[in-house]
Amino acid sequence: MNCRTADELFTAYVDGELGTDTETSLAAHLEVCNTCRLEVEVEESVKRMVSDRLQHIPAPVGLKSRVCAALAEEEEHRPWWHEISRRVRRHPRQIVGALAALFLVAAVGILSTVLEPEPPALAARLMRHHADCAVQFATDKPLTVKSWFQSQGIDVADTPSSLAPFEYSLIGAHICEMLHQNAAYMVYRHQGKEVSICRVDGIPVDLQKLEHVDYGSARFYTVTYGNSNLVMWQEKESVFAIVGQVKSEDLMAMAAETRIL
Amino acid sequence: MHDFDRTDDANEDFQTTALVHMDALFNSAVRMTGNVADAEDLVQETFLKAFRFFARFRKDSNCLAWLFKIMKNSYINRFRQKSREPATVSIDAGLPGQEGTFLETPGHEMEPADSMYSRILDDEVEDAVRSLPEEFKLVVLLSDVEGMQYREIADVLGCPVGTVRSRLSRGRSHLRKHLQSYARELGYLEKDTGR
Ligand SMILES: [Zn+2]
Ligand SMILES: [Zn+2]
């Protein structure tokens, strides 16, 4: 081992994150090399200084009860209630079932699991959640977006730099970590409006329950939620979605023009 | 006190799995936001989101790392709402020859808060950590304050382990530059290495 190869290993060495073999050969180098040993000592002291000096700051006394109160409130006004009532209006015969479920199943977790495969609920979740999502990675270069997703272990289709026939241009991407594990979103913007395309993995979507429109050779499934529209389509094994506060015809046009499909 | 019912199974599960990490989250939140009020809001928002998605949380995985992940996203998001044109810094997610940018949030000024907290936070090392660029700050906090391993940190940040290591390395050299003379005073640094 020489100084250049050693230099790359200092941080992991200090943190005890090197494999045994590498650690042994680095230790051997440190025995004989003062320069490297000094570097390691400095990094160790920076680490030690941070852990010594940064005191553990406990949460303020009132915070726990404040959070619990907010959780209780959240439980009372759970969003799934709205999802159920919307479904109920469209399918009145499900009313009895839904109400029975409500009274019988008190545990929230179970209820939301039961509802998950319902596409309208899924759409609502996708959009409500998406409103919360930040662009993690800002760039207008399609190649960079693709390699970035690949570096995160997600394979995405080729990303166009703009969405024809409108002038939405690529501004960045993010990974939706909360909704499902491997959701990749490409985000486009035009005149202050954002549209994003994502691949919906990890959640079973029963597209057949949605309204559909045949558009050229493609079949699109549409959902409206608040001011937003969601258009989904099946491609190979995956379901893709395009979401935005944009007319669904426009979303379909973008989806059809874009050869992500 | 409140009617978040402890006797309900799902709620009790949330209390024992997630809410127990409140101190750890607050501890980092206060360094991320730079003030107690914003840190409280951030922690509350984190638990609300976690509660909504708790059914999706795999019970055998690391809840603290999951909570940190939610908190990190909420924090980025909050900042994004505050500023229309965020500054950007170079990406170092391991893309050779690729140009890209990550959101960078500016260091917030400390607000005069509760005196106990301001006394703790009024410290040169605290200052140096707080003024680290965002992409390094959280890594340093998770590693050197929370004692997390690279793999857990990678999980929180959603990046490869190699990226954790390189950000930590760069974060520490930032600190080293800022704290060199101070560290020598305190006896943390014996000699000058002239790097
Ligand atoms: Zn050497
Ligand atoms: Zn998301």
Side-chain angles (χ1 to χ4, degrees):
Chain A
M1 183 171 299
N2 59 40
C3 297
R4 253 193 44 206
T5 48
D7 186 71
E8 314 238 291
L9 304 172
F10 293 160
T11 300
Y13 180 76
V14 164
D15 292 319
E17 295 260 0
L18 283 180
T20 329
D21 290 353
T22 323
E23 191 177 308
T24 314
S25 46
L26 178 59
H29 178 80
L30 295 179
E31 282 289 307
V32 296
C33 177
N34 281 330
T35 322
C36 286
R37 195 167 59 239
L38 201 55
E39 283 297 319
V40 168
E41 280 168 10
V42 171
E43 180 147 357
E44 269 168 352
S45 43
V46 171
K47 180 183 166 86
R48 197 150 25 91
M49 186 159 62
V50 172
S51 36
D52 287 358
R53 299 282 301 196
L54 262 58
Q55 292 183 42
H56 219 276
I57 305 178
V61 191
L63 184 59
K64 177 148 193 212
S65 44
R66 196 182 124 187
V67 167
C68 285
L71 291 177
E73 170 101 351
E74 169 75 15
E75 212 181 4
E76 238 173 80
H77 304 103
R78 279 194 80 74
W80 51 254
W81 171 253
H82 302 288
E83 285 161 22
I84 289 182
S85 45
R86 219 189 343 274
R87 262 176 59 212
V88 159
R89 245 174 273 135
R90 291 175 69 172
H91 311 282
R93 277 193 310 179
Q94 286 178 6
I95 234 175
V96 179
L99 286 180
L102 249 185
F103 288 116
L104 288 175
V105 191
V108 206
I110 298 175
L111 235 188
S112 54
T113 315
V114 168
L115 289 178
E116 244 152 39
E118 280 295 322
L122 166 72
R125 274 183 170 226
L126 260 175
M127 287 194 269
R128 196 176 45 237
H129 172 75
H130 190 73
D132 268 0
C133 272
V135 176
Q136 288 173 338
F137 175 63
T139 180
D140 54 3
K141 295 188 185 64
L143 201 64
T144 316
V145 168
K146 187 170 182 171
S147 353
W148 184 67
F149 277 120
Q150 276 167 352
S151 75
Q152 314 283 321
I154 297 177
D155 202 21
V156 294
D158 283 330
T159 303
S161 59
S162 62
L163 290 182
F166 304 94
E167 287 165 39
Y168 282 83
S169 48
L170 183 67
I171 57 159
H174 77 253
I175 294 177
C176 173
E177 308 269 11
M178 296 222 358
L179 195 59
H180 26 82
Q181 288 300 311
N182 288 312
Y185 284 93
M186 263 66 72
V187 185
Y188 294 80
R189 189 185 289 152
H190 173 54
Q191 294 181 337
K193 285 194 172 175
E194 275 178 20
V195 153
S196 60
I197 295 190
C198 63
R199 199 178 63 182
V200 183
D201 295 347
I203 297 184
V205 197
D206 188 356
L207 292 175
Q208 311 314 321
K209 289 194 180 165
L210 293 175
E211 290 169 22
H212 69 262
V213 178
D214 288 325
Y215 190 102
S217 57
R219 171 163 288 190
F220 292 120
Y221 301 86
T222 61
V223 183
T224 298
Y225 179 78
N227 300 323
S228 301
N229 285 298
L230 175 76
V231 168
M232 289 193 266
W233 68 94
Q234 178 99 36
E235 171 124 8
K236 291 169 194 151
E237 298 299 294
S238 297
V239 172
F240 287 85
I242 180 166
V243 189
Q245 296 193 352
V246 174
K247 284 187 289 184
S248 48
E249 301 85 80
D250 293 355
L251 292 177
M252 279 184 256
M254 286 182 230
E257 285 293 322
T258 310
R259 296 321 296 175
I260 288 181
L261 312 189
Chain B
M1 180 169 73
H2 48 74
D3 42 7
F4 184 63
D5 194 358
R6 259 213 89 111
T7 56
D8 182 297
D9 279 353
N11 290 350
E12 183 165 3
D13 199 17
F14 189 76
Q15 294 227 359
T16 53
T17 318
L19 281 181
V20 289
H21 295 300
M22 185 175 290
D23 280 343
L25 289 184
F26 182 79
N27 193 38
S28 290
V30 83
R31 269 102 190 193
M32 285 157 82
T33 61
N35 73 77
V36 173
D38 282 351
E40 289 193 53
D41 288 350
L42 185 59
V43 168
Q44 174 165 336
E45 187 178 329
T46 303
F47 280 118
L48 273 175
K49 287 187 181 171
F51 186 60
R52 283 177 205 151
F53 289 90
F54 195 53
R56 297 207 149 272
F57 169 67
R58 288 194 317 277
K59 295 291 179 311
D60 56 343
S61 56
N62 182 340
C63 191
L64 182 60
W66 182 68
L67 290 168
F68 266 117
K69 189 191 304 194
I70 298 173
M71 188 159 89
K72 181 210 71 177
N73 288 345
S74 307
Y75 176 67
I76 294 174
N77 196 37
R78 240 159 213 278
F79 166 71
R80 192 190 179 212
Q81 287 165 352
K82 278 186 193 164
S83 151
R84 294 191 141 265
E85 287 297 323
T88 51
V89 294
S90 270
I91 189 178
D92 65 346
L95 300 179
Q98 302 278 349
E99 277 295 304
T101 49
F102 259 117
L103 289 182
E104 185 191 37
T105 45
H108 298 267
E109 290 303 308
M110 274 302 295
E111 281 165 17
D114 186 273
S115 62
M116 195 260 287
Y117 292 112
S118 23
R119 189 163 31 76
I120 294 176
L121 293 170
D122 180 22
D123 175 272
E124 294 199 66
V125 184
E126 286 280 0
D127 272 348
V129 170
R130 245 187 346 258
S131 59
L132 278 176
E134 289 305 326
E135 53 177 330
F136 304 141
K137 194 196 307 188
L138 188 57
V139 185
V140 168
L141 287 171
L142 294 179
S143 162
D144 298 347
V145 180
E146 295 305 325
M148 282 190 182
Q149 308 211 304
Y150 287 3
R151 182 138 294 290
E152 298 170 286
I153 302 174
D155 192 30
V156 171
L157 302 180
C159 70
V161 168
T163 308
V164 172
R165 186 191 41 80
S166 74
R167 289 193 197 171
L168 201 45
S169 167
R170 288 164 66 190
R172 288 193 189 130
S173 29
H174 268 260
L175 290 173
R176 168 181 176 176
K177 276 187 217 112
H178 286 217
L179 291 168
Q180 200 123 20
S181 57
Y182 181 69
R184 217 172 291 111
E185 259 170 54
L186 292 178
Y188 280 101
L189 280 179
E190 306 293 315
K191 308 136 225 174
D192 197 306
T193 65
R195 187 189 244 192

